[in-house]
Amino acid sequence: MKIIKTFLTLFTACLFQVSSAFAQLPEIGGEVWIEPGQTKEQIDTFFRIMKENKMTTARMFIMWNQIETDPGVFDFTPYDMAFEAAEKYNIKVVATLTAAEPAPCVNKRSNYQLHTHLIIEDRAEYPAAARYIKQVVDRYKKHPMLEYWWLLNEPGQYPVPSKLAVEEFRQWLKVKYAGDIRLLNKLWITYFPDFNSIEYSPVWDKVDGWSSQIAYYDWQKFWRPFLTQYMQWVSDEVKKHDDKHPITVNPHTVYDNLARYDFAEWRKFIDILGMSIHPSWALTDFQKHHYAYGIAGCCELMTGFHKDNNEIWVSEIQGGSNIFSGWAPGAPDKTDIEQWLWTSIGCNAKRVLYWSVNPRPQGNEAGEWALFGYGDKVSERVRMTTDVIDCLYKNKKVFSETKLMETPITIITTPESRFMFDCRGDWREVRNRKSYLKSYMAWYIMLMRLGLPVQILEAKDYNWDDADQGRVVIFPNTISVPSTLQDKIKGFVKRGNKLIADGLAFQFDEESRSYGVVGNPYEDMFGASLLDVMYQMDSDVKINFNDSDIVLSASDLRGELIPTTAQVLAGTKEMAYATRNKYGKGEAVWVPHVIGVREFNQHDSNYAKFVFSEVENVYNKHPFVLDNKDEDLMMQTLQADGKYVTIVINCSLKDVNSKIINRSAKQKAEVVWGSKSALGEGGSINLQPRETLVIIWE
C-alpha cells in the first residue's frame, strides 16, 4: 500500500507539471475566508455553493497568527477542515502564506492585527518565519487539492524604515556610491562619517521644497530590490520543502504601486503573476461605467511579465458591496460582474478570483466584499458568474487555446517618473501622480476604443534592440527617462520606428537632473530643443495644428520648442508647440503639453483624431478593429485554434452603434454571449447601455 501511495503521489505531481504546460480553460473562483470559530458545516457550505455554481478554485490565507497558538504549538484545525471540503467538492486550493505576519506569541508587533501588508522588519525574524513556512508547506504539500503557493498577499507597501530595511539600505548605498561616502554626503547634503552611520530621516519619505531630493529617490529605488529580495527568500524557503507546486503572487492597487514592482526580477522565481484589481481601491480615478477600461489597463501592466504566453491571473476582483472599507465604496451588480469577468478573459486571464466568496464575520471588512449574499444565499452576482462559466465550457476548445493578439504599439512607463511626481507633486492634478496615471491611460483607452491591443511596459523591460521595424512607442508624460537607456532609445528610432512623447516627457534623468539645464541628449532625435514650459492662468491650453483641423486641449502647461531639423506640426519655425522629426529611418513626435489629463477627464474628438493619425498604419493592418473613435466602446481580440474571439464592451450609459472591421479570412461569426441581434450585416453592431458582446469568428 505504501508503494502504491508513493506512486500515486509522484504520478499526481508529474500530471500537474504536464497539464500546466497544456492549454487551460479560464477558471473562476474566489477567496474562502477561513478563521477559528467557523464550524465544519459552515466551511463545507462555502465549498458546496462554489461547486454547485461551477467555481473550481479556492484561495485561502493560512494565517500564522491563527495557527501558532503558543510558541511551537500549531493548530491547523480550520484549515484541515477547509482542505477536506475542497477535496470533497473537487475544488483546487491556492494557499497564501503570511510569513511576515507572526503570531503574537512569537512577535508582539502582530498584536491586534488581523493581517497586514508588511514584510519582515528585523533579521532576527527570519528563523521563526522559516519554521512557519516549513510547518505549512510540509502539512499540505502532498494534499491532492493543493495547486499553487501564494508567496504573500499584495506586495507593494510603501517603504518602512524598519531596522532591517535601514541596514540593507546602507549596503545598497555603499554599492551605488562605490564606497565613497564623500560623494553621498555631497549629493545628500549630509555629513555621515561612513555608510554604517546613516540613520533614517523623514526626508527619505517626503521632502519639502528646499531639501535635497536625492536621498528620497535613493530610498524609493532601493525599496524595489528590497521587496524583491524578501519575496525571493519566501520562494526559496517554500522550494526547500516543495519544489513541485508553482508559485504566484498578487501585486495590488497597481496604478499607485507600479513603481515598487520589479517584474523583470520577479520572473526569476514566480511562475504566474496575478493582480488585485478592486475598483473600490484601485480604480478610484475612473467613472464606474469605465471600470472595464481600468481593469483592462491593470491587466495590461501584467502581461509583459510573461513574455512567452502573456497568461495572467486576476487574483482578486471585488465580489460584493463594501461600505466601510475601500477608498471609493461601491456595490457591483450583475452587469459589473459580467463586464469585469469578460474584460479579464479578454486580457487572457486564466484565473479570476473574487475577494471573497463569503464575508468575514468581524473586522473592518465584516459583512462586506462577498460574492454570496448574507446567510450564504446565491446572489445575482453568483448567477452571472455561473452563466459566464457555462459559456466558457460550451466553447471550451476555443477558450482553452486563447492567446493575445498583439500590435507593435507599446506605452512606456518608468518608475523614476512616478517617484518624481510623488516627490514634487501636491493637490494640483497636473503635477501629481494622477497626471502620470491619466496620461498613459488616456492613450490606452483611446487605443481600446479603436480595438487595438497595446502593451504597457516599463522602459527597461522593453526590447529596444529588436530588429523589427514599424514599431511605435509612446512616452505619455514620462517625465524621467533614465540616461542609461539613451543609446537604446535613439537606436530604436534610427532603425525605422516611431517614438511619441507628450506632456513633460524627457524633462529629467533618473537623478532628477533637468535635461533643459544640463543638456538634453535626445534633442537630435526630436530635432528640436525645449525653450520653456509655461504655466498658464487658463487651465485649458489649446494647440492648433497647422495642416489639419486638430485642436488639442491640454491642462495648465504649454511647452515651447525651438525646432532645428523637425517639421512643425503646431506653431511656427520660431516657436513650435508640436513637432515631428525624421531620425534615421524612423521619426520622433513631440507634443510637450499635458494632453492626457484633459482627455482622461473628458473625451475630446480632437484627441481621437490625433491618436488615430499617429497609429493609422497599424490600424489599417490589424485583423480586427472598431470603426470607432469617440464612443465609449472597447474591443479585445484573442486568437484561438485557428479562430478569433472578439469581446466588445459598451462602457457607456447609452445605446451605441458601430462596426467591427474584419480583415481576417474568418468570416463566419457566432455570437456566444450577448444579444444575437446586436451583430448585424457587415460587422455592424448595436449595443445597449453597458452591454457585452462576445463573438467567435471562424
Side-chain angles (χ1 to χ4, degrees), residues 91-271:
I91 292 176
K92 292 170 284 191
V93 173
V94 183
T96 303
L97 299 168
T98 61
E101 304 176 38
C105 66
V106 174
N107 190 318
K108 291 183 180 179
R109 76 174 172 86
S110 285
N111 283 356
Y112 310 110
Q113 296 298 312
L114 292 174
H115 67 263
T116 70
H117 288 112
L118 299 179
I119 60 178
I120 282 179
E121 296 191 351
D122 191 310
R123 208 174 303 277
E125 295 179 19
Y126 278 113
R131 287 194 296 272
Y132 155 79
I133 293 171
K134 183 179 188 304
Q135 287 278 344
V136 175
V137 175
D138 281 349
R139 188 169 192 90
Y140 296 118
K141 66 184 179 183
K142 295 182 180 179
H143 197 283
M145 303 320 297
L146 178 70
E147 189 182 20
Y148 276 81
W149 292 112
W150 200 303
L151 290 184
L152 71 161
N153 181 55
E154 295 184 343
Q157 63 273 24
Y158 282 71
V160 176
S162 65
K163 178 182 177 182
L164 178 60
V166 173
E167 288 175 1
E168 293 291 332
F169 186 42
R170 292 168 183 155
Q171 297 307 307
W172 184 88
L173 291 169
K174 191 172 183 179
V175 172
K176 177 185 175 182
Y177 292 101
D180 188 349
I181 193 65
R182 292 173 299 178
L183 178 58
L184 178 143
N185 282 326
K186 179 180 178 180
L187 295 173
W188 281 26
I189 315 178
T190 52
Y191 189 74
F192 295 111
D194 54 49
F195 287 93
N196 290 332
S197 64
I198 295 172
E199 296 294 342
Y200 170 75
S201 166
V203 172
W204 296 4
D205 288 310
K206 184 65 178 177
V207 299
D208 61 36
W210 302 109
S211 300
S212 170
Q213 298 175 351
I214 303 302
Y216 170 88
Y217 292 125
D218 282 344
W219 179 235
Q220 304 303 317
K221 293 173 187 176
F222 154 77
W223 198 257
R224 283 164 56 96
F226 182 66
L227 173 62
T228 300
Q229 173 184 303
Y230 170 70
M231 294 168 62
Q232 174 81 69
W233 177 82
V234 178
S235 175
D236 291 345
E237 287 298 311
V238 170
K239 290 174 181 175
K240 282 181 183 178
H241 313 291
D242 179 7
D243 60 0
K244 299 294 190 297
H245 290 91
I247 285 173
T248 187
V249 79
N250 61 321
H252 71 299
T253 320
V254 66
Y255 294 126
D256 276 333
N257 290 325
L258 180 63
R260 308 190 192 288
Y261 305 136
D262 193 343
F263 291 158
E265 290 298 312
W266 292 13
R267 273 196 292 270
K268 298 175 182 177
F269 56 89
I270 291 175
D271 298 290

Side-chain angles (χ1 to χ4, degrees), residues 296-584:
C298 283
C299 290
E300 199 58 59
L301 288 163
M302 286 188 289
T303 56
F305 175 88
H306 296 287
K307 291 192 171 183
D308 295 328
N309 57 24
N310 295 117
E311 293 179 2
I312 58 168
W313 287 6
V314 174
S315 306
E316 290 187 23
I317 194 76
Q318 188 165 344
S321 175
N322 60 327
I323 302 168
F324 295 101
S325 52
W327 290 325
D333 58 23
K334 64 180 182 180
T335 304
D336 294 314
I337 295 297
E338 173 190 23
Q339 286 196 350
W340 301 352
L341 288 178
W342 281 115
T343 298
S344 301
I345 294 164
C347 291
N348 214 31
K350 293 303 184 182
R351 194 77 49 99
V352 183
L353 303 176
Y354 291 108
W355 183 274
S356 56
V357 296
N358 60 305
R360 297 190 192 195
Q362 60 181 349
N364 194 46
E365 292 187 350
E368 302 191 359
W369 297 94
L371 186 70
F372 299 168
Y374 290 144
D376 300 321
K377 298 181 180 69
V378 175
S379 67
E380 66 172 7
R381 300 182 300 278
V382 175
R383 286 189 284 271
M384 177 59 73
T385 301
T386 306
D387 289 344
V388 173
I389 295 171
D390 282 339
C391 180
L392 293 174
Y393 272 100
K394 287 176 184 176
N395 302 279
K396 183 175 182 179
K397 183 170 177 55
V398 172
F399 285 108
S400 294
E401 300 285 347
T402 55
K403 293 182 180 180
L404 287 175
M405 287 288 291
E406 295 183 350
T407 65
I409 304 173
T410 304
I411 296 170
I412 299 294
T413 67
T414 68
E416 292 86 359
S417 293
R418 173 55 194 273
F419 295 150
M420 185 169 293
F421 278 115
D422 274 354
C423 179
R424 298 187 171 193
D426 59 15
W427 56 271
R428 296 172 183 86
E429 185 177 55
V430 76
R431 66 184 202 185
N432 65 22
R433 68 177 62 172
K434 293 181 185 295
S435 176
Y436 193 35
L437 155 68
K438 292 186 176 184
S439 291
Y440 66 75
M441 283 307 296
W443 276 94
Y444 181 78
I445 291 171
M446 189 60 241
L447 292 165
M448 293 289 281
R449 282 194 178 102
L450 297 172
L452 285 174
V454 56
Q455 292 187 97
I456 308 176
L457 283 180
E458 186 178 326
K460 77 168 189 176
D461 216 19
Y462 186 74
N463 186 0
W464 299 103
D465 300 324
D466 194 295
D468 287 351
Q469 295 182 343
R471 293 186 287 162
V472 180
V473 294
I474 304 160
F475 285 78
N477 209 13
T478 313
I479 190 171
S480 177
V481 179
S483 58
T484 53
L485 294 175
Q486 172 187 329
D487 292 340
K488 288 182 176 293
I489 292 172
K490 293 170 72 172
F492 165 86
V493 178
K494 277 184 177 179
R495 287 192 299 275
N497 301 296
K498 177 186 285 192
L499 181 149
I500 305 169
D502 71 23
L504 297 172
F506 291 89
Q507 295 274 325
F508 295 86
D509 72 4
E510 67 273 24
E511 300 292 347
S512 79
R513 285 183 290 262
S514 170
Y515 278 140
V517 177
V518 302
N520 193 329
Y522 299 96
E523 283 186 3
D524 59 332
M525 180 184 75
F526 285 117
S529 62
L530 187 67
L531 175 66
D532 259 325
V533 177
M534 309 294 288
Y535 198 97
Q536 304 296 291
M537 296 301 292
D538 182 358
S539 61
D540 186 8
V541 178
K542 299 295 185 184
I543 306 104
N544 293 273
F545 277 54
N546 296 340
D547 298 324
S548 73
D549 60 351
I550 295 174
V551 182
L552 287 178
S553 293
S555 299
D556 300 326
L557 308 178
R558 185 184 76 230
E560 298 177 343
L561 301 172
I562 303 297
T564 52
T565 60
Q567 170 195 357
V568 176
L569 299 179
T572 67
K573 291 183 178 180
E574 289 74 32
M575 180 66 68
Y577 303 108
T579 57
R580 183 191 312 278
N581 187 52
K582 296 293 183 182
Y583 187 67

